[in-house]
Amino acid sequence: MTSADRIRCIREEIRALSPHPERVRLIAVSKKQDLGRMRKAAEAGIRDFGENRIQEAADKFSQEAFPGITRHFIGYLQSNKVNKCLQNFNWLHSLQTEKLAGLIAHSEIPLLCLIEVNISGESSKSGIRPEALRTFVKGLSACPGLQVRGLMGIAPLTEDENTVRRAFALLRELALDCRSLETEDLHFDELSMGMSGDYRIALQEGATMLRIGTAIFGPRQS
Ligand SMILES: *Cc1c(COP(=O)(O)O)cnc(C)c1O
């Protein structure tokens, strides 16, 4: 199967499994994939790329513009890399500190943000703890202009489908709960959840953004 075939299959699954297929965006996670593979994905209709290293992404995007493409930063963002992130990306999926929120809010360049929530149940993983989410969201009122659009989560790595499903359902419920805190700048419509191994479950649980790497491109190249 070519990447174009795999993209076609995933789009069929989106139509079959999602309660709102028209709202689902398929983000091709192109970290450690070369420009040739990215070009083929774009030719197959991909309009969103996800990367987790600023420098690698900046290098690739400087070589090829990919007109009409939306760029998503899905990795951990250090505060000294914020400017480079603003210059190279349209979306940040991993907002999780007030410091970062303040830096982004002060910038002239727009960056749409998702708050990363730790839905894995493992304290070692990144993201805001579910119990702390409301307090974090309320604190963002100190960052006027910051554009929040929803939540992002990574399910625990397990074969147990029910555990994965519960984690995605938790993210959906947290986003619903955050609706009562919405303002002109803070919205909670987007749910970024589901990777190559678990996107079907994420779709059933209401994902609006799938972050899929290897199931589109095959194994990463380095
Ligand atoms: C790498 C990565 C993905 C994609 O992983 P695959 O298993 O290759 O689909 C999704 N989300 C994040 C945050 C990642 O770092």
Side-chain angles (χ1 to χ4, degrees), residues 29 31 52 74 152 154 195-197 211-215 220:
V29 176
K31 63 187 186 192
N52 73 338
I74 62 170
M152 179 273 225
I154 301 174
M195 306 171 35
S196 292
R211 307 179 312 271
I212 302 188
T214 48
R220 285 183 266 278

Side-chain angles (χ1 to χ4, degrees), residues 1 5 13 17-18 25 30 32 42 59 76 83 86 96 99 111 124 131 134 154 156 172-173 189 193 195 207 210:
M1 278 223 277
D5 295 330
E13 288 174 307
L17 298 174
S18 169
R25 217 188 260 241
S30 49
K32 297 189 175 158
D59 290 345
Y76 180 74
N83 280 334
L86 286 158
Q96 52 191 299
K99 182 179 181 190
L111 182 67
S124 61
E131 318 82 75
R134 279 187 77 88
I154 301 174
R172 184 187 63 230
E173 284 154 18
D189 301 318
M193 56 189 201
M195 306 171 35
L210 303 177

Side-chain angles (χ1 to χ4, degrees), residues 13 20-21 42 107 110 114-115 128 164 177 184 201 219-220 222:
E13 288 174 307
H20 43 233
S107 162
L114 304 176
I115 299 170
I128 304 273
V164 173
D177 182 51
E184 201 176 313
I201 304 172
R220 285 183 266 278
S222 57

